[in-house]
Amino acid sequence: VQRQSAICDGMPIEALSYGANPDGDKRPGFMQKLTKGSHAHKEALLAAKIEKHADEPQLAAAYKGKLAVVSKYRQVIDSADEMRALFQRCRSDLQALEKDLAKPSGSFAKGGFLCAPRMTAADVEWSVILGRLREIGFLDAELLAGLPHVARYS
């Protein structure tokens, strides 16, 4: 469970959502339009919320954490090479998930979930990641054709 959670936690979903895939942006048109240039606006909004809620340490800390994630990918989303590398890394993570799901002795093969007969935090995390990847058009029929277990799992 911890290994799968670490993979999900490391998934650069912020960049994958806001940055275009240089090898073919399959995000819906509305998403392409809404995300273009909105990253800087999001940073400004988060900075304002941190200032506004300075007297609420837990809330301010949550906004600071989100701002750190958003800021981390500011330069990345404008670089075709870096975005290509992120999408390739995502593809590699999905291929590793496919291998885990395909293990004959694994829980998924026995009618369970990824790591256990019952749903775990890893399944919840992967469901969010897979949903977003589907939403941005990356997890499409073409990619899933080569990942039959991921297709069934998602």
Side-chain angles (χ1 to χ4, degrees):
V1 173
Q2 289 178 337
R3 185 174 66 79
Q4 293 296 334
S5 289
I7 293 168
C8 291
D9 289 346
M11 186 75 67
I13 209 69
E14 180 83 21
L16 296 174
S17 298
Y18 281 85
N21 185 341
D23 297 321
D25 190 358
K26 296 180 182 179
R27 294 175 300 164
F30 79 90
M31 195 172 209
Q32 291 177 31
K33 185 177 179 182
L34 288 175
T35 58
K36 193 171 190 94
S38 67
H39 214 70
H41 177 69
K42 190 173 184 179
E43 284 181 295
L45 276 174
L46 288 165
K49 290 196 179 279
I50 291 167
E51 188 176 317
K52 179 180 177 182
H53 298 286
D55 59 338
E56 299 175 67
Q58 286 183 312
L59 187 55
Y63 285 130
K64 285 178 185 176
K66 181 62 178 173
L67 180 58
V69 170
V70 171
S71 298
K72 177 181 178 180
Y73 293 113
R74 179 183 331 132
Q75 304 300 326
V76 173
I77 61 173
D78 293 327
S79 167
D81 290 339
E82 290 190 56
M83 286 304 300
R84 185 174 287 111
L86 289 181
F87 277 102
Q88 182 52 49
R89 183 177 134 210
C90 180
R91 181 175 275 109
S92 295
D93 287 342
L94 290 171
Q95 289 166 340
L97 176 62
E98 174 69 20
K99 286 179 185 174
D100 288 340
L101 291 168
K103 290 178 182 172
S105 61
S107 295
F108 189 69
K110 297 176 183 174
F113 290 87
L114 176 58
C115 300
R118 294 184 183 208
M119 184 179 280
T120 67
D123 297 297
V124 174
E125 290 179 274
W126 269 115
S127 71
V128 172
I129 296 293
L130 295 172
R132 178 53 65 97
L133 294 176
R134 197 180 294 277
E135 184 178 61
I136 65 171
F138 184 69
L139 192 64
D140 60 4
E142 181 182 341
L143 181 62
L144 286 172
L147 304 167
H149 295 89
V150 172
R152 225 173 73 229
Y153 181 66
S154 65

